[in-house]
Amino acid sequence: MASHDVPIGSTQVSLAALNERSREIFRQIVESYLTTGEPVGSRNLSRILPIQLSPASVRNVMSDLEQLGLIYAPHTSAGRLPTELGLRFFVDALMEIGDLTEQDRNSIEAQVAGAGSSKSLESILTEASQVLSGLTRSASIVLTAKNNVRLKHIEFVPLEPERALAVLVGEDGEVENRVLNIPAGLPSSALTEAGNFLNARVRGKTLAELRNEIETAVKAGQAELDQLAQKIISAGFASWSGGESDDRQLIVRGHANLLEDLHALDDLERVRSLFDALETKRGVIDLLGRAERGEGVRIFIGSENKLFSLSGSSTIVAPYRDTKGRIVGVLGVIGPTRLNYARVIPMVDYTARVVSKLLSG
């Protein structure tokens, strides 16, 4: 997805931090905001809550929610509104996504599929954007990814313990973000090192070319490592331990003898550097593979959305795919932060699926 967005991902607030009463009050504040756009006060909340609570009790809970950063008061004497963090928490943890009505499905299929598989990609996307804009009463957006884009820069940004953002900058200045799943416990320093390693080699290459080049280097390095290690092992200075070649370690013994053989010492140092280089390259290949398969970013709320530099806006997008299942672009809507997320999210998803089906048909 072409953007400069760095989403915050899941919120820092745990669902377990809110008891049932707090969740219900928070839910009412958010749903009131999504419906009216106005702050809601403790007195009104105490009237509409499904549980009996006095305005004073509601105020106490609202104070706790404010300390968690989920709601705020726009004015001193006003009611409360959800913060961007609160909206993100609501969308991620509390919202029940609705299902499309048969009428909505038929509208999307009739209009988008009406473009026909024989029509151009441009006409299909035009129809998709028009139907989304009409059904959601929001501005629609369509971004097409370029196949085999030549890269100028690549960066990996940690988002959560098991997710990162790959920022791909093309030679033409286009920026594409992809969210990746990464191994648990992977330190952010490993992402930085991978970015540095790639940026020394990336200019003018596609992701696929870059990956092939590094895989070739790994094979060459592995061959050199095996040859050197075998020489040291045969001389009786070391032995292999471990199972598969990727997991093996060189155990050095007879350190005193090594010190007497300067050539063996040089060889051992070369083995160590090859181990380090191969480990780095394997990590980079893994990240590149994940970047090639990465999903487009789904939801940006408020300041998370720097794609259009609009405050108080939300963007909801879904990827569409070609005949080989590759993500070739994203489509969606941009509107106020009080979008009807529960309705818009499945609508965007369904439209993207219809477009993907047409492109693969």
Side-chain angles (χ1 to χ4, degrees):
M1 183 177 110
S3 79
H4 297 274
D5 299 286
V6 180
I8 61 171
S10 296
T11 65
Q12 302 275 322
V13 183
S14 163
L15 192 62
L18 302 183
N19 58 29
E20 188 177 346
R21 186 169 64 174
S22 300
R23 287 181 209 173
E24 190 55 48
I25 290 173
F26 175 66
R27 186 195 300 276
Q28 292 291 346
I29 292 171
V30 175
E31 290 182 348
S32 175
Y33 166 71
L34 295 179
T35 303
T36 68
E38 299 295 325
V40 60
S42 56
R43 190 168 297 279
N44 282 337
L45 276 171
S46 68
R47 291 194 190 110
I48 61 176
L49 284 170
I51 48 178
Q52 279 198 328
L53 283 176
S54 67
S57 296
V58 172
R59 278 195 296 275
N60 287 336
V61 174
M62 289 168 77
S63 176
D64 292 339
L65 292 172
E66 200 163 354
Q67 285 189 337
L68 287 170
L70 297 176
I71 62 173
Y72 75 103
H75 308 293
T76 308
S77 58
R80 299 297 186 270
L81 290 172
T83 61
E84 288 177 5
L85 180 71
L87 279 174
R88 168 58 69 183
F89 177 67
F90 176 78
V91 168
D92 288 349
L94 293 177
M95 183 180 69
E96 293 179 9
I97 296 177
D99 196 13
L100 291 184
T101 64
E102 197 65 33
Q103 184 179 354
D104 285 339
R105 288 175 188 268
N106 291 339
S107 295
I108 293 169
E109 286 179 7
Q111 195 163 331
V112 179
S117 56
S118 60
K119 295 281 185 73
S120 67
L121 172 63
E122 185 179 353
S123 64
I124 291 172
L125 295 178
T126 298
E127 294 294 342
S129 64
Q130 286 177 351
V131 73
L132 271 179
S133 181
L135 288 173
T136 63
R137 294 187 176 86
S138 301
S140 60
I141 54 173
V142 175
L143 301 167
T144 55
K146 296 176 182 175
N147 285 333
N148 300 320
V149 63
R150 299 282 165 184
L151 296 169
K152 181 172 73 175
H153 183 81
I154 185 167
E155 187 175 348
F156 300 102
V157 182
L159 298 178
E160 299 169 37
E162 295 186 29
R163 290 210 310 166
L165 189 73
V167 183
L168 312 175
V169 183
E171 285 192 323
D172 58 0
E174 287 290 320
V175 179
E176 185 178 352
N177 285 354
R178 300 182 185 183
V179 174
L180 327 174
N181 293 318
I182 58 175
L186 186 72
S188 58
S189 59
L191 296 176
T192 303
E193 287 172 19
N196 293 339
F197 181 89
L198 288 170
N199 286 318
R201 300 160 174 80
V202 70
R203 188 172 289 274
K205 298 184 179 76
T206 65
L207 273 180
E209 288 171 348
L210 196 57
R211 192 176 179 194
N212 287 338
E213 179 183 308
I214 296 169
E215 283 176 342
T216 301
V218 164
K219 286 175 185 173
Q222 188 69 56
E224 185 182 352
L225 174 64
D226 286 345
Q227 190 175 9
L228 262 176
Q230 193 55 52
K231 180 180 171 185
I232 294 173
I233 291 166
S234 297
F237 291 128
S239 61
W240 284 114
S241 76
E244 298 299 321
S245 59
D246 285 357
D247 302 321
R248 289 187 298 180
Q249 292 180 315
L250 191 68
I251 305 299
V252 179
R253 58 176 187 268
H255 293 76
N257 294 333
L258 256 182
L259 291 173
E260 293 171 7
D261 189 332
L262 294 181
H263 289 298
L265 201 58
D266 288 343
D267 286 344
L268 184 64
E269 198 53 46
R270 178 65 184 147
V271 166
R272 281 180 181 147
S273 65
L274 275 170
F275 264 126
D276 290 343
L278 288 172
E279 187 178 353
T280 298
K281 285 172 186 170
R282 287 193 189 102
V284 166
I285 288 170
D286 180 59
L287 281 174
L288 281 175
R290 292 169 190 270
E292 286 181 298
R293 301 187 300 271
E295 295 290 334
V297 179
R298 287 287 309 280
I299 304 167
F300 295 104
I301 297 174
S303 62
E304 295 173 24
N305 176 15
K306 299 187 176 57
L307 177 55
F308 298 96
S309 301
L310 294 174
S311 60
S313 66
S314 285
T315 307
I316 299 174
V317 293
Y320 58 89
R321 302 169 184 271
D322 63 9
T323 51
K324 295 182 179 177
R326 296 173 302 195
I327 296 171
V328 291
V330 292
L331 55 81
V333 300
I334 180 170
T337 50
R338 63 186 197 89
L339 274 171
N340 185 342
Y341 296 95
R343 180 171 184 266
V344 174
I345 289 170
M347 197 166 282
V348 169
D349 275 345
Y350 190 72
T351 305
R353 285 203 301 272
V354 171
V355 169
S356 296
K357 188 176 178 183
L358 278 176
L359 296 183
S360 63

